[in-house]
C-alpha cells in the first residue's frame, strides 16, 4: 500500500514544469511515495495473551519445549544413556531405528539425540492435547505449559496410540528404558501419591513449563502460571510440580509453592535431583528457602517403594531452570518430571 503526498520540496522529488493555455509556465507539485508498514497475519493478541494449543500445533509447541529443555539435566538423563564401557567398543552411527531410535551397541550421534529429544517432547505435547491442557503465549509459541487437570490421566490406550507415545519404548536405549520405566515412572507415581495423599487426583499438575532461550525475560512463564493459578484457586484445588532446577525453586516460591521433599534419579553418572513442590489454594508468595522436609532416593531394581532419608543434603548450584513430566500411572508412557525452563 502506498500514500501519495503532495509537496513542493525539490530535495525529495524534482518538480515538473508545464505550460498552460496562456503560455505561462507552471510547476507541478512533487510526488512522494511513502510505503506503509505491512500488517502481520500473526494475531496481535498472541503477544500477550495466554491461549490453548491443539493437536494441529503439536509440532511447533514441541520444538519450543525442546529448545527450552535442551540443556536440562532430566532431559539429558533420558537421552545420554551410554555406558562408559560400551562406548569403548560401540559403533558410532546415525541411529538404526525409526525416528531417532538407536540399536543396541550403537552410540547415538548428537543429531540422533536431538531427534529423540524432540520426539519425547512431541509425545508429551500430543498426550496433553488429547487429555490434558496445553497453554502457550507469544507469537512463535515462545513459552509453553503442559497441565494435567484434576481427574485426568494419560494412561489410556487411546491416548497412548493416538499420541504416538507407544514408540518411546522402542526408541530409548536399553539403559534408557530401565531409567524411564523402572526408575522414573514408579518414583514419580509413588512420590506424588505420598505427598498429596487423598488429593492426588484433585490437584492441578504442572508437567512441563518452558520458555525458548531467545524469549526469556519477557514474563511469559509467569503469565502461564497465573492463568491456571486463578482457576485452581477458584476451584479450591492444590497445585503440584517437580522442579529439576534449584534456580527455579525460588521462582515458584514467589507464586506460593512450597518444597515438600527432594527425590533423586541415580542410574546416571551424576544423580539428578527433583524438588517436589505444592501450592495450596489461595497461597501467597513467600520468602525463598532451601529447606526440604525430607529426601527420597529412586527405588532399587527390586522395589518401587520410596526410601525416606531423614538427613539434609547440600546441593550444588545449577544454571538450568525447568520443570517437566508426564502424568505417571503405572502403565504410562509419560515423559517428564517438573523442572521448567522458565522466565
Amino acid at each position: 500500500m502506498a500514500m501519495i503526498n503532495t509537496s513542493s520540496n525539490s530535495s525529495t522529488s524534482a518538480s515538473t514544469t508545464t505550460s498552460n493555455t496562456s503560455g505561462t509556465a507552471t510547476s507541478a507539485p512533487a510526488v512522494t511515495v511513502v510505503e506503509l508498514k505491512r500488517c502481520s497475519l500473526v494475531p496481535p493478541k498472541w503477544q500477550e495473551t495466554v491461549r490453548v494449543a491443539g493437536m494441529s500445533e503439536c509440532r511447533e509447541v514441541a520444538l519450543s519445549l525442546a529448545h527450552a529443555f535442551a540443556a536440562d539435566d532430566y532431559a539429558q538423563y533420558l537421552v545420554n544413556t551410554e555406558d562408559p564401557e560400551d562406548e569403548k567398543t560401540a559403533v558410532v552411527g546415525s541411529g538404526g531405528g525409526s525416528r531417532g531410535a538407536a540399536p543396541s551397541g550403537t552410540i547415538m550421534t548428537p543429531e540422533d539425540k536431538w531427534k529423540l529429544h524432540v520426539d519425547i517432547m512431541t509425545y508429551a505435547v500430543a498426550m496433553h492435547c488429547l487429555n490434558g491442557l496445553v497453554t502457550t503465549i507469544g507469537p512463535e509459541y515462545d513459552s509453553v505449559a503442559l497441565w494435567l487437570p484434576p481427574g485426568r490421566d494419560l494412561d489410556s490406550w487411546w491416548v497412548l496410540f493416538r499420541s504416538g507415545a507407544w514408540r518411546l519404548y522402542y526408541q530409548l536405549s536399553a539403559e534408557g528404558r530401565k531409567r524411564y520405566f523402572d526408575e522414573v515412572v514408579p518414583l514419580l507415581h509413588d512420590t506424588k501419591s505420598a505427598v498429596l495423599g487423598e488429593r492426588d487426583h484433585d490437584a492441578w499438575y504442572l508437567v512441563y513449563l518452558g520458555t525458548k532461550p531467545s524469549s526469556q525475560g519477557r514474563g511469559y512463564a509467569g503469565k502461564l502460571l497465573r492463568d491456571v493459578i486463578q482457576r485452581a484457586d477458584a476451584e479450591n484445588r492444590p497445585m503440584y510440580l517437580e522442579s529439576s532446577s534449584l534456580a527455579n525453586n525460588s521462582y515458584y516460591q514467589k507464586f506460593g509453592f512450597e518444597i515438600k521433599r527432594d527425590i533423586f534419579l541415580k542410574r546416571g553418572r551424576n544423580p539428578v535431583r527433583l524438588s517436589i513442590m505444592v501450592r495450596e489454594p489461595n497461597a501467597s508468595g513467600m520468602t525463598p528457602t532451601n529447606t526440604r522436609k525430607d529426601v527420597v532416593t529412586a527405588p532399587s531394581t527390586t522395589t518401587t517403594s520410596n526410601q525416606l532419608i531423614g538427613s539434609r543434603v547440600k546441593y550444588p548450584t545449577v544454571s538450568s531452570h525447568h520443570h517437566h513430566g508426564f502424568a505417571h500411572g503405572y502403565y504410562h508412557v509419560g515423559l517428564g518430571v517438573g523442572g521448567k525452563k522458565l522466565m
Side-chain angles (χ1 to χ4, degrees):
M1 179 183 294
M3 176 174 65
I4 298 178
N5 176 38
T6 59
S7 173
S8 59
N9 190 339
S10 60
S11 63
T12 303
S13 176
S15 298
T16 303
T17 302
T18 60
S19 298
N20 55 22
T21 54
S22 63
T24 303
T26 61
S27 296
V31 177
T32 301
V33 177
V34 179
E35 185 175 359
L36 298 180
K37 183 179 180 180
R38 295 177 181 271
C39 294
S40 173
L41 291 175
V42 178
K45 67 178 182 179
W46 281 15
Q47 187 71 37
E48 299 296 336
T49 304
V50 175
R51 62 188 187 278
V52 176
M55 281 293 285
S56 63
E57 303 166 283
C58 183
R59 193 64 175 178
E60 293 84 354
V61 172
L63 282 172
S64 180
L65 279 180
H67 283 288
F69 287 87
D72 178 56
D73 290 340
Y74 173 77
Q76 297 198 27
Y77 186 75
L78 296 179
V79 175
N80 293 329
T81 57
E82 295 91 347
D83 187 287
E85 293 300 318
D86 293 340
E87 293 181 2
K88 298 176 182 178
T89 57
V91 176
V92 177
S94 58
S98 63
R99 298 179 65 84
S104 178
T106 299
I107 300 300
M108 298 177 70
T109 66
E111 291 76 15
D112 291 329
K113 292 179 180 180
W114 173 252
K115 291 177 183 177
L116 177 57
H117 176 56
V118 172
D119 279 346
I120 289 175
M121 293 300 175
T122 302
Y123 301 150
V125 172
M127 294 177 81
H128 286 81
C129 284
L130 291 169
N131 204 37
L133 175 66
V134 179
T135 57
T136 185
I137 189 172
E140 297 180 348
Y141 305 92
D142 298 84
S143 191
V144 175
L146 306 188
W147 300 90
L148 197 63
R152 301 282 187 90
D153 64 64
L154 306 177
D155 301 335
S156 72
W157 285 100
W158 180 77
V159 171
L160 182 68
F161 282 98
R162 178 69 178 85
S163 65
W166 62 270
R167 299 188 183 97
L168 180 63
Y169 181 87
Y170 304 97
Q171 291 179 257
L172 292 172
S173 67
E175 172 61 22
R177 288 193 291 271
K178 292 178 181 178
R179 291 185 185 186
Y180 185 72
F181 293 102
D182 296 343
E183 182 187 30
V184 173
V185 171
L187 178 60
L188 296 189
H189 175 275
D190 291 351
T191 301
K192 184 169 180 283
S193 178
V195 170
L196 292 176
E198 296 181 353
R199 303 186 299 169
D200 189 9
H201 301 290
D202 195 44
W204 278 90
Y205 176 30
L206 177 55
V207 182
Y208 274 94
L209 174 59
T211 301
K212 293 191 296 186
S214 60
S215 302
Q216 293 179 17
R218 303 179 186 178
Y220 284 151
K223 291 181 179 180
L224 292 177
L225 273 175
R226 293 186 188 94
D227 177 63
V228 173
I229 283 175
Q230 292 177 356
R231 297 177 61 173
D233 286 349
E235 298 168 358
N236 197 37
R237 299 180 190 272
M239 301 176 71
Y240 181 95
L241 62 83
E242 304 106 347
S243 172
S244 63
S245 166
L246 289 176
N248 277 358
N249 291 353
S250 60
Y251 179 83
Y252 287 122
Q253 287 175 318
K254 295 176 182 178
F255 291 88
F257 284 88
E258 297 182 61
I259 300 173
K260 297 300 183 180
R261 65 178 62 176
D262 287 293
I263 58 177
F264 290 87
L265 306 175
K266 303 181 70 174
R267 291 189 63 94
R269 299 177 186 178
N270 299 306
V272 174
R273 176 201 46 75
L274 303 173
S275 296
I276 307 303
M277 305 187 74
V278 174
R279 181 186 184 277
E280 297 298 337
N282 299 296
S284 59
M286 61 187 67
T287 302
T289 175
N290 287 328
T291 302
R292 273 78 172 173
K293 294 190 176 180
D294 52 30
V295 179
V296 182
T297 60
S300 66
T301 56
T302 59
T303 179
T304 58
S305 63
N306 295 330
Q307 303 171 16
L308 300 182
I309 301 177
S311 60
R312 295 196 177 180
V313 181
K314 181 178 181 181
Y315 304 96
T317 301
V318 295
S319 58
S320 59
H321 32 260
H322 322 59
H323 186 125
H324 24 232
F326 275 30
H328 25 266
Y330 269 108
Y331 196 100
H332 135 89
V333 184
L335 306 170
V337 202
K340 285 89 172 145
K341 203 72 169 173
L342 298 175
M343 292 68 81

